[in-house]
Amino acid sequence: MSDLDDLIAKGKDYSKFGFKKNPFSIRPLFNNYMDLDKCKEEKELFIVTEESEILYKIFDLDRRILLWGDIGVGKTTLINMILYISLSEKKWFPIRIIISEKNIGRTVQEILYSLCFEIMNELEALSISKPLKSLKNWILKQRSSDSLYEIMLKMMSNSFEEETVKKHKEPLDRKVKRTLKERVGFSIDEEVIKSLKTYVENSPPSIIKENLKSLGELVEKMGYGGIIFAIDEADHIEDMKSVVSALTTARDIFLASNKYTFIFCGSPELISYDRKKERFGIFDTEVHVKQLKDTQIGEILLRRIKKERNGDSVTLDSVFDNATLKTLYLNADGKIKIALKIAQNSLDEALYNKHDKIYEEDIKNTLGRMKATIETKLTETEMIVLQGLSEFGKPMSPSDVEFQIKTKSSRPTLQRTLSSLHRKGLVNITKEGKKTLYSPLFPTNE
């Protein structure tokens, strides 16, 4: 073995902290919500919050839920939790759709496209444990009225032969199904995928609504009582007009069936932008996911430490110096994603500095690097506004004239820029009556 191979094999040795690996991953819990065994393992890391209790109580079929809050407060974990519970306890078919600046204008098309592919994925898994003749017959009956089903039949034509099915008569769990599927070598022709994309992208909302209704019948024949659609990442989109327009277009789609539920992730900017309250004609419920308390962030960190140490009796101060925790809480600003990222990078910094736990030096070096990395992606206007905000040394509002003069920016420009900096995790927001105040997460004058 070469020296380089030896180095790679060793990797990062966290044994001095009592860990096999860094326990502070920022990956949301229940991310692979279809892997029920993996999700069971992650249940012990999940803490119940007021928002999760509300969401669980109101969760049912025929609902349209707006889940909104700052980036990093844990909305994706809440969505994943609902998708996991949908499958494991309710036997509802879970679908997650990722929306971005690039596809926000095709939200309804993305809903149909994602449903088609998840149905095909499930049919692949089912084909190992039982024949698909009845499901194929149902699709055959539909193909004369809509070319979508002709495309789906072509996708199914690459499925397993009946001989393969007969070899696996015993019921199989999902993980085994996936392994067998990979071994057999399932593949879908690229031209067929292209045909599906073309069909979906050229379909108007009225056709998509009809497709969703009929595909619901197929999902029911597959053994599910309903479908849960979770539309995530829309809170990262800056153009609020495009988000409201997409939701308005999707309104009829959201009402396509009383056996469907839609959960949509939105931002505080969406709530502020929607002065006409158009969302009230789309969603029947709103859940505001607030920043976590320091004690809640501490509990999440502690649970991850305990899990990595196999339940050993430990406390946070066995890994964090007390002053370090205060700095972490201050800079996380109630956002679990930022807290975990700081903890993850600070542990690596402590490892590099050969410390026995995370000290103030480690976390300050980490915060400096995180700030520098983010700032390389800022526009010139964002840099000027962030620098100006730091120099005041107190929370400021876009309506403050001295702030406008210092940054040579109008109130609308400051509002727009500060909203962008907030989405990027560089400024905090506080409320003073009706006034919104901003302060830098990483002060530049330190």
Side-chain angles (χ1 to χ4, degrees), residues 367-434:
L367 291 171
R369 271 195 288 275
M370 287 174 67
K371 173 176 171 285
T373 299
I374 295 171
E375 285 185 351
T376 60
K377 302 175 182 178
L378 298 183
T379 65
E380 185 178 351
T381 302
E382 288 173 333
M383 284 293 293
I384 290 170
V385 171
L386 185 61
Q387 181 66 37
L389 187 63
S390 290
E391 290 176 4
F392 278 108
K394 62 179 181 179
M396 300 296 290
S397 166
S399 59
D400 292 332
V401 177
E402 55 183 330
F403 191 15
Q404 295 172 17
I405 293 171
K406 188 173 190 64
T407 58
K408 298 179 182 178
S409 302
S410 65
R411 184 186 179 281
T413 298
L414 275 177
Q415 180 66 63
R416 198 164 49 246
T417 305
L418 287 166
S419 293
S420 175
L421 289 170
H422 182 240
R423 278 191 294 273
K424 293 177 180 178
L426 285 173
V427 298
N428 296 326
I429 288 180
T430 53
K431 288 283 187 180
E432 192 176 274
K434 292 184 178 180

Side-chain angles (χ1 to χ4, degrees), residues 22-201:
N22 194 319
F24 306 117
S25 168
I26 66 170
R27 185 180 66 85
L29 297 178
F30 315 119
N31 211 41
N32 189 0
Y33 51 86
M34 301 292 274
D35 187 340
L36 301 186
D37 291 337
K38 178 69 174 175
C39 288
K40 282 180 183 177
E41 292 176 12
E42 293 184 346
K43 282 168 75 173
E44 62 191 85
L45 300 178
F46 181 80
I47 68 163
V48 175
T49 60
E50 179 185 352
E51 293 85 356
S52 61
E53 286 187 336
I54 292 171
L55 189 57
Y56 184 75
K57 286 176 182 176
I58 65 173
F59 177 60
D60 204 346
L61 292 176
D62 197 20
R63 301 302 297 266
R64 287 146 295 280
I65 303 168
L66 174 61
L67 193 68
W68 69 275
D70 286 332
I71 292 172
V73 293
K75 297 189 297 297
T76 297
T77 287
L78 286 179
I79 275 183
N80 291 345
M81 174 201 75
I82 288 298
L83 292 174
Y84 162 59
I85 290 173
S86 300
L87 180 64
S88 62
E89 295 186 16
K90 307 286 189 179
K91 194 58 178 174
W92 296 338
F93 197 50
I95 308 284
R96 182 171 57 204
I97 300 134
I98 304 299
I99 294 297
S100 67
E101 296 274 6
K102 292 181 179 179
N103 66 355
I104 183 66
R106 304 192 310 275
T107 299
V108 294
Q109 285 81 9
E110 291 292 339
I111 290 170
L112 177 59
Y113 187 72
S114 299
L115 177 58
C116 287
F117 256 93
E118 288 303 323
I119 285 175
M120 295 313 301
N121 284 336
E122 186 64 9
L123 290 177
E124 292 167 34
L126 288 171
S127 66
I128 297 174
S129 57
K130 61 182 181 182
L132 298 177
K133 191 170 288 185
S134 63
L135 299 176
K136 277 189 176 182
N137 287 339
W138 184 90
I139 296 175
L140 279 167
K141 289 178 182 178
Q142 311 300 318
R143 70 174 178 176
S144 60
S145 60
D146 198 316
S147 58
L148 172 65
Y149 301 101
E150 185 69 42
I151 296 169
M152 292 182 72
L153 281 172
K154 289 179 181 177
M155 293 172 79
M156 289 182 71
S157 68
N158 287 325
S159 193
F160 301 104
E161 298 296 329
E162 195 157 339
E163 291 79 15
T164 306
V165 176
K166 288 178 181 177
K167 291 178 183 178
H168 306 287
K169 291 182 180 178
E170 295 299 317
L172 302 171
D173 64 36
R174 190 174 297 273
K175 189 180 289 185
V176 173
K177 290 176 185 177
R178 296 293 181 192
T179 304
L180 286 169
K181 181 180 68 178
E182 289 165 6
R183 192 166 70 222
V184 172
F186 182 91
S187 64
I188 297 175
D189 188 270
E190 288 185 13
E191 287 301 315
V192 179
I193 295 176
K194 188 176 178 181
S195 297
L196 177 62
K197 284 183 178 178
T198 301
Y199 174 91
V200 171
E201 288 179 2

